[in-house]
Amino acid sequence: MPDLLDLPPELILSCLAHLNLTDIHSCLKAGNRVLASVIVNSVLIRYRLELGRACVEESMKQAGNQALADRLASLRTREDNWRNFTPRSRHTVAVDFQTSGIYDLASDVYLVGDRGDSPMPLCTGLKYMVTPPGPEGPEWRRIEAGKPIIDFGVALAEHDLIAMVTYTPHANDPLMRSIDVALIKFSTGVPHPLAAHPTLHIHDVELFRGRPGISIEIVGRNLTLSLLYWADERRDLDTLHVYDWQSGVSKMEPLSVNNTGIVFLTEDTFIIPNSLDASLDVFRIPASGSDAVPKFIHSFNLPELEEGHSILSFQCRGEPNPRSMLNFPSTTTFLPTPQTALLIFTFEVGTRRGSSEHLLVLERPPLAALAALCPFPEGVTDTDWRVWGPPCARWLDAAPLAMNYITIAAGQRVAAIAHDAGRTPAPIVILDFNPMHVEAQREIGLEVVGEDARVRVVEADCDPDAMPGGEDSEQKVEALPFAELNLPWAEPVHSLLPYVETVSTELFDYGAVLLNDANVIGAKFGERYVESLEVLHFG
Ligand SMILES: *[C@@H]1O[C@H](CO)[C@@H](O)[C@H](O)[C@H]1NC(C)=O
Ligand SMILES: *[C@@H]1O[C@H](CO)[C@@H](O)[C@H](O)[C@H]1NC(C)=O
Ligand SMILES: *[C@@H]1O[C@H](CO)[C@@H](O)[C@H](O)[C@H]1NC(C)=O
């Protein structure tokens, strides 16, 4: 058999092109000159390495249309734009219709409930607009459910799917309501062709229980939905359901839950925040055909709350969700990879004196790796914050930030602005948790003041060796000065996660900022709802 290295360079290259990044790095380190030169001189491999480093993949639409060198250049421009806060373009979109409170922000689309001229509080359709600039300028389009909608979820990149949760009078009983999920193909507005049944019937419920708060996430064929009837004293209908949305079959007994919010950790595990125990609980979706009970896997405890404090509410999000494929072309060229995407948790803590908002950023890979070790053989069902928190999580000071939205992160970036920026214009702050970007920024400079932004590395706020399990675990953990956060915990908290912080030079008068794959979106509020959106397009 011929040796790999006896082949002509173009064949060596086509072999290498199938390897993953770890293997390519190993080849580089093997110390063979021919191999190294093929790798170093190949635009394809360099492009793949840089896609990997930026933790993005190319969207279907773009792949193959452009020369590799141009794609590589456009990736580098994108990363520079984000780091230096130099948007490529900006445009304003008026929200000139009556919105309802429901909204979502997907990879490249903003969607919001459209009440039209109806005097009813519930909308029967949504309006959406593509966020990156397009040739025809911003345009609102409507997608119709034809029934009152209480919430919705999307899986656009994977399935071109929008799932609308409807709340309609029961056919035979005016005092009952029916809760259903309409499965619609987003691009056409018709029932989704992969769904055997166009709607999933969740349950019937008495009118007096009020409308539930909904969380809905779709990953692969699994659709998870939780309903919480806050207005109802009995909490017996507060449940989480999992369906195979394509067959319409329920995959498990409804799980009784106490909080809204579901966030997928991997394709078949999800986290539900637990305010009673102050923990993040991981569950696995049971395999079809099993005894079909949701499998509790593990609780990751939050730090211990200070005396007299309790968690009032939770919100969470991980964008993008895990996905097994890209099926629907995006207008955006580079899509953050789900495996590395941050999970964001915001919650409100109450005391007798009032309440405060908090913001926790979690890295998916180390937490998924920990959860994969569960169940622990010794029957341990929970892990102390001090063990899992520092390597997986970072607390951010939410007190000065606008916290109206949970859609503030995509991939490994988070956007923030001061909550009173609407009155006193303030910079936009972008935090980038990509460890390779942190590494690169350390080389460029720990703090660089440019024309458009001040960029700095915010290091871990403790010494890894001083953490439990570290070399000096007997020693008291020494906090670095940054750890002066206003937090509701009875113990000091630390993080081993550094990040790159970009603070824009320009000041903005937005009431809040949102972030998706290629854009920061500044929202300006009217009396109650958003009046306009300004899109800063970074690519
Ligand atoms: C890369 O591929 C090799 C097999 O060629 C596999 O053993 C390894 O786990 C893969 N690494 C990653 C990060 O996917
Ligand atoms: C959906 O759930 C099943 C378990 O029933 C699991 O095997 C699968 O990985 C999950 N995810 C997807 C993408 O279908
Ligand atoms: C919800 O709270 C009740 C106690 O009020 C508890 O028994 C139950 O296990 C909780 N459910 C979950 C999923 O945490």
PDB file of all heavy atoms in Angstrom, residues 158 219-222 251 264 267-268 285-288 323-324, ligand 2:
ATOM      1  N   GLU A 158     -33.308  24.155  11.132  1.00  0.00           N
ATOM      2  CA  GLU A 158     -33.370  22.697  11.040  1.00  0.00           C
ATOM      3  C   GLU A 158     -34.583  22.224  10.236  1.00  0.00           C
ATOM      4  O   GLU A 158     -34.485  21.286   9.450  1.00  0.00           O
ATOM      5  CB  GLU A 158     -33.401  22.109  12.454  1.00  0.00           C
ATOM      6  CG  GLU A 158     -32.994  20.667  12.501  1.00  0.00           C
ATOM      7  CD  GLU A 158     -32.990  20.098  13.919  1.00  0.00           C
ATOM      8  OE1 GLU A 158     -33.611  20.693  14.829  1.00  0.00           O
ATOM      9  OE2 GLU A 158     -32.378  19.053  14.106  1.00  0.00           O
ATOM     10  N   VAL A 219     -36.205  20.477  19.106  1.00  0.00           N
ATOM     11  CA  VAL A 219     -34.883  19.996  18.718  1.00  0.00           C
ATOM     12  C   VAL A 219     -35.079  18.654  18.022  1.00  0.00           C
ATOM     13  O   VAL A 219     -35.613  17.714  18.618  1.00  0.00           O
ATOM     14  CB  VAL A 219     -33.965  19.836  19.943  1.00  0.00           C
ATOM     15  CG1 VAL A 219     -32.678  19.109  19.570  1.00  0.00           C
ATOM     16  CG2 VAL A 219     -33.631  21.201  20.536  1.00  0.00           C
ATOM     17  N   GLY A 220     -34.686  18.573  16.779  1.00  0.00           N
ATOM     18  CA  GLY A 220     -34.900  17.340  16.018  1.00  0.00           C
ATOM     19  C   GLY A 220     -36.400  17.059  15.947  1.00  0.00           C
ATOM     20  O   GLY A 220     -37.194  17.949  15.678  1.00  0.00           O
ATOM     21  N   ARG A 221     -36.774  15.822  16.249  1.00  0.00           N
ATOM     22  CA  ARG A 221     -38.200  15.481  16.225  1.00  0.00           C
ATOM     23  C   ARG A 221     -38.864  15.767  17.563  1.00  0.00           C
ATOM     24  O   ARG A 221     -40.062  15.567  17.718  1.00  0.00           O
ATOM     25  CB  ARG A 221     -38.372  13.989  15.911  1.00  0.00           C
ATOM     26  CG  ARG A 221     -37.880  13.600  14.529  1.00  0.00           C
ATOM     27  CD  ARG A 221     -37.939  12.091  14.364  1.00  0.00           C
ATOM     28  NE  ARG A 221     -39.314  11.613  14.387  1.00  0.00           N
ATOM     29  CZ  ARG A 221     -39.897  10.977  13.378  1.00  0.00           C
ATOM     30  NH1 ARG A 221     -39.227  10.744  12.266  1.00  0.00           N
ATOM     31  NH2 ARG A 221     -41.147  10.573  13.468  1.00  0.00           N
ATOM     32  N   ASN A 222     -38.067  16.185  18.547  1.00  0.00           N
ATOM     33  CA  ASN A 222     -38.609  16.368  19.891  1.00  0.00           C
ATOM     34  C   ASN A 222     -39.094  17.795  20.113  1.00  0.00           C
ATOM     35  O   ASN A 222     -38.350  18.746  19.923  1.00  0.00           O
ATOM     36  CB  ASN A 222     -37.535  16.039  20.934  1.00  0.00           C
ATOM     37  CG  ASN A 222     -37.038  14.612  20.796  1.00  0.00           C
ATOM     38  OD1 ASN A 222     -37.823  13.706  20.544  1.00  0.00           O
ATOM     39  ND2 ASN A 222     -35.738  14.417  20.925  1.00  0.00           N
ATOM     40  N   LYS A 251     -44.246  11.520  23.907  1.00  0.00           N
ATOM     41  CA  LYS A 251     -43.140  10.612  24.201  1.00  0.00           C
ATOM     42  C   LYS A 251     -43.035  10.226  25.652  1.00  0.00           C
ATOM     43  O   LYS A 251     -42.221   9.377  26.009  1.00  0.00           O
ATOM     44  CB  LYS A 251     -41.815  11.239  23.750  1.00  0.00           C
ATOM     45  CG  LYS A 251     -41.762  11.412  22.246  1.00  0.00           C
ATOM     46  CD  LYS A 251     -40.430  11.879  21.785  1.00  0.00           C
ATOM     47  CE  LYS A 251     -39.426  10.752  21.744  1.00  0.00           C
ATOM     48  NZ  LYS A 251     -38.266  11.100  20.912  1.00  0.00           N
ATOM     49  N   PHE A 264     -32.172  23.252  26.070  1.00  0.00           N
ATOM     50  CA  PHE A 264     -31.538  21.980  25.710  1.00  0.00           C
ATOM     51  C   PHE A 264     -30.044  22.054  25.974  1.00  0.00           C
ATOM     52  O   PHE A 264     -29.382  23.028  25.629  1.00  0.00           O
ATOM     53  CB  PHE A 264     -31.791  21.648  24.236  1.00  0.00           C
ATOM     54  CG  PHE A 264     -33.056  20.864  24.036  1.00  0.00           C
ATOM     55  CD1 PHE A 264     -34.275  21.511  23.981  1.00  0.00           C
ATOM     56  CD2 PHE A 264     -33.040  19.478  23.944  1.00  0.00           C
ATOM     57  CE1 PHE A 264     -35.457  20.793  23.832  1.00  0.00           C
ATOM     58  CE2 PHE A 264     -34.206  18.748  23.795  1.00  0.00           C
ATOM     59  CZ  PHE A 264     -35.416  19.408  23.731  1.00  0.00           C
ATOM     60  N   GLU A 267     -28.751  17.022  22.349  1.00  0.00           N
ATOM     61  CA  GLU A 267     -29.930  16.694  21.541  1.00  0.00           C
ATOM     62  C   GLU A 267     -31.021  15.996  22.338  1.00  0.00           C
ATOM     63  O   GLU A 267     -32.189  16.091  22.001  1.00  0.00           O
ATOM     64  CB  GLU A 267     -29.535  15.806  20.364  1.00  0.00           C
ATOM     65  CG  GLU A 267     -29.014  16.615  19.220  1.00  0.00           C
ATOM     66  CD  GLU A 267     -28.866  15.812  17.947  1.00  0.00           C
ATOM     67  OE1 GLU A 267     -29.320  14.646  17.913  1.00  0.00           O
ATOM     68  OE2 GLU A 267     -28.285  16.348  17.011  1.00  0.00           O
ATOM     69  N   ASP A 268     -30.649  15.270  23.384  1.00  0.00           N
ATOM     70  CA  ASP A 268     -31.701  14.555  24.113  1.00  0.00           C
ATOM     71  C   ASP A 268     -31.740  14.858  25.608  1.00  0.00           C
ATOM     72  O   ASP A 268     -32.431  14.176  26.354  1.00  0.00           O
ATOM     73  CB  ASP A 268     -31.615  13.042  23.851  1.00  0.00           C
ATOM     74  CG  ASP A 268     -30.332  12.450  24.398  1.00  0.00           C
ATOM     75  OD1 ASP A 268     -29.425  13.229  24.739  1.00  0.00           O
ATOM     76  OD2 ASP A 268     -30.235  11.217  24.493  1.00  0.00           O
ATOM     77  N   ILE A 285     -34.770  12.921  27.603  1.00  0.00           N
ATOM     78  CA  ILE A 285     -35.996  12.497  26.918  1.00  0.00           C
ATOM     79  C   ILE A 285     -35.938  10.983  26.762  1.00  0.00           C
ATOM     80  O   ILE A 285     -34.938  10.451  26.267  1.00  0.00           O
ATOM     81  CB  ILE A 285     -36.090  13.172  25.531  1.00  0.00           C
ATOM     82  CG1 ILE A 285     -36.185  14.688  25.711  1.00  0.00           C
ATOM     83  CG2 ILE A 285     -37.284  12.635  24.748  1.00  0.00           C
ATOM     84  CD1 ILE A 285     -36.130  15.455  24.410  1.00  0.00           C
ATOM     85  N   PRO A 286     -36.974  10.284  27.214  1.00  0.00           N
ATOM     86  CA  PRO A 286     -36.903   8.822  27.129  1.00  0.00           C
ATOM     87  C   PRO A 286     -36.937   8.368  25.672  1.00  0.00           C
ATOM     88  O   PRO A 286     -37.545   9.025  24.831  1.00  0.00           O
ATOM     89  CB  PRO A 286     -38.163   8.372  27.874  1.00  0.00           C
ATOM     90  CG  PRO A 286     -39.100   9.521  27.811  1.00  0.00           C
ATOM     91  CD  PRO A 286     -38.254  10.760  27.764  1.00  0.00           C
ATOM     92  N   ALA A 287     -36.278   7.252  25.397  1.00  0.00           N
ATOM     93  CA  ALA A 287     -36.323   6.687  24.052  1.00  0.00           C
ATOM     94  C   ALA A 287     -37.749   6.246  23.778  1.00  0.00           C
ATOM     95  O   ALA A 287     -38.459   5.822  24.681  1.00  0.00           O
ATOM     96  CB  ALA A 287     -35.367   5.507  23.963  1.00  0.00           C
ATOM     97  N   SER A 288     -38.152   6.337  22.529  1.00  0.00           N
ATOM     98  CA  SER A 288     -39.502   5.908  22.189  1.00  0.00           C
ATOM     99  C   SER A 288     -39.619   4.418  22.503  1.00  0.00           C
ATOM    100  O   SER A 288     -38.662   3.670  22.343  1.00  0.00           O
ATOM    101  CB  SER A 288     -39.767   6.139  20.703  1.00  0.00           C
ATOM    102  OG  SER A 288     -39.414   7.450  20.392  1.00  0.00           O
ATOM    103  N   ARG A 323     -28.858  20.865  16.854  1.00  0.00           N
ATOM    104  CA  ARG A 323     -29.580  20.462  15.639  1.00  0.00           C
ATOM    105  C   ARG A 323     -28.764  19.392  14.949  1.00  0.00           C
ATOM    106  O   ARG A 323     -27.545  19.343  15.081  1.00  0.00           O
ATOM    107  CB  ARG A 323     -29.806  21.663  14.708  1.00  0.00           C
ATOM    108  CG  ARG A 323     -28.530  22.335  14.311  1.00  0.00           C
ATOM    109  CD  ARG A 323     -28.731  23.536  13.385  1.00  0.00           C
ATOM    110  NE  ARG A 323     -27.458  24.214  13.216  1.00  0.00           N
ATOM    111  CZ  ARG A 323     -27.225  25.496  13.480  1.00  0.00           C
ATOM    112  NH1 ARG A 323     -28.194  26.253  13.919  1.00  0.00           N
ATOM    113  NH2 ARG A 323     -26.033  26.016  13.303  1.00  0.00           N
ATOM    114  N   SER A 324     -29.477  18.541  14.237  1.00  0.00           N
ATOM    115  CA  SER A 324     -28.752  17.458  13.584  1.00  0.00           C
ATOM    116  C   SER A 324     -28.419  17.835  12.146  1.00  0.00           C
ATOM    117  O   SER A 324     -27.605  17.189  11.509  1.00  0.00           O
ATOM    118  CB  SER A 324     -29.568  16.175  13.642  1.00  0.00           C
ATOM    119  OG  SER A 324     -30.903  16.454  13.331  1.00  0.00           O
TER     120      SER A 324
HETATM  121  C1  LIG B   2     -35.168  13.043  20.574  1.00  0.00           C
HETATM  122  O1  LIG B   2     -35.446  12.105  21.583  1.00  0.00           O
HETATM  123  C2  LIG B   2     -34.915  10.818  21.402  1.00  0.00           C
HETATM  124  C3  LIG B   2     -35.334   9.986  22.569  1.00  0.00           C
HETATM  125  O2  LIG B   2     -36.695   9.702  22.475  1.00  0.00           O
HETATM  126  C4  LIG B   2     -33.421  10.846  21.284  1.00  0.00           C
HETATM  127  O3  LIG B   2     -32.913   9.561  20.996  1.00  0.00           O
HETATM  128  C5  LIG B   2     -33.022  11.819  20.188  1.00  0.00           C
HETATM  129  O4  LIG B   2     -31.624  11.950  20.189  1.00  0.00           O
HETATM  130  C6  LIG B   2     -33.647  13.163  20.474  1.00  0.00           C
HETATM  131  N1  LIG B   2     -33.166  14.180  19.562  1.00  0.00           N
HETATM  132  C7  LIG B   2     -33.432  14.296  18.246  1.00  0.00           C
HETATM  133  C8  LIG B   2     -32.648  15.287  17.514  1.00  0.00           C
HETATM  134  O5  LIG B   2     -34.271  13.636  17.670  1.00  0.00           O
END
